Amino acid sequence: MSLARIWWTLGALLVIAAAIICLVPFTEIPREFELNDKISHVIGHGALALYFAGLVPRRGWWKIFVFLLLFGAAIEVAQYYMKVGREGDPRDVIANSIGALSGLLLGWLGLSRWPEFATWLFSRKRAVQ
């Protein structure tokens, strides 16, 4: 299995984990992980955007933004209709967008090179063994 396939599989798992976390009833979230709601959205979508910015060529970053915008909107619609202690909030979509743009900005500043660093780190670890 190639390293790129592993990164994409991990990315898919991160998106699935984000969806589960966003749809779990609010009462089941441990209090230790509770942050300001909007900050959580900014951090979560920022991290996802930065992660995928390392996998997608820069000219395709707009697709990351559109995906995360639609993903966040779908989560909010699901929360609204599920009625299990979560509420859909249009302001969360704005926070998600700010987070995605922030993650892409960090990627543009150079942090999107994380796969190169990880590859270097793994190859160095193998050389030591």
Side-chain angles (χ1 to χ4, degrees), residues 20-32:
I20 291 169
I21 289 168
C22 290
L23 296 175
V24 166
F26 191 71
T27 56
E28 295 183 23
I29 296 175
R31 296 287 177 224
E32 297 81 31

Side-chain angles (χ1 to χ4, degrees), residues 4-58:
R5 182 173 278 174
I6 292 170
W7 294 136
W8 279 102
T9 302
L10 180 59
L13 292 173
L14 289 171
V15 170
I16 291 168
I20 291 169
I21 289 168
C22 290
L23 296 175
V24 166
F26 191 71
T27 56
E28 295 183 23
I29 296 175
R31 296 287 177 224
E32 297 81 31
F33 296 109
E34 193 175 309
L35 286 173
N36 175 289
D37 182 49
K38 303 306 177 257
I39 293 173
S40 298
H41 284 272
V42 169
I43 291 172
H45 274 67
L48 286 172
L50 180 58
Y51 182 86
F52 286 107
L55 304 180
V56 175
R58 193 173 285 187

Side-chain angles (χ1 to χ4, degrees), residues 82-125:
M82 288 176 59
K83 307 279 189 214
V84 290
R86 302 299 286 258
E87 297 176 11
D89 185 353
R91 294 174 297 178
D92 288 346
V93 176
I94 294 168
N96 295 341
S97 300
I98 291 168
L101 287 172
S102 299
L104 293 174
L105 175 63
L106 289 172
W108 183 76
L109 293 173
L111 292 179
S112 64
R113 296 183 62 187
W114 67 262
E116 295 171 34
F117 176 72
T119 302
W120 172 79
L121 195 62
F122 289 138
S123 64
R124 184 175 172 183
K125 206 174 204 181

Side-chain angles (χ1 to χ4, degrees), residues 43-86:
I43 291 172
H45 274 67
L48 286 172
L50 180 58
Y51 182 86
F52 286 107
L55 304 180
V56 175
R58 193 173 285 187
R59 68 183 179 279
W61 284 7
W62 67 271
K63 294 175 188 176
I64 297 170
F65 179 77
V66 170
F67 170 76
L68 290 175
L69 178 66
L70 294 175
F71 176 67
I75 292 292
E76 295 308 314
V77 169
Q79 286 178 346
Y80 177 79
Y81 284 108
M82 288 176 59
K83 307 279 189 214
V84 290
R86 302 299 286 258

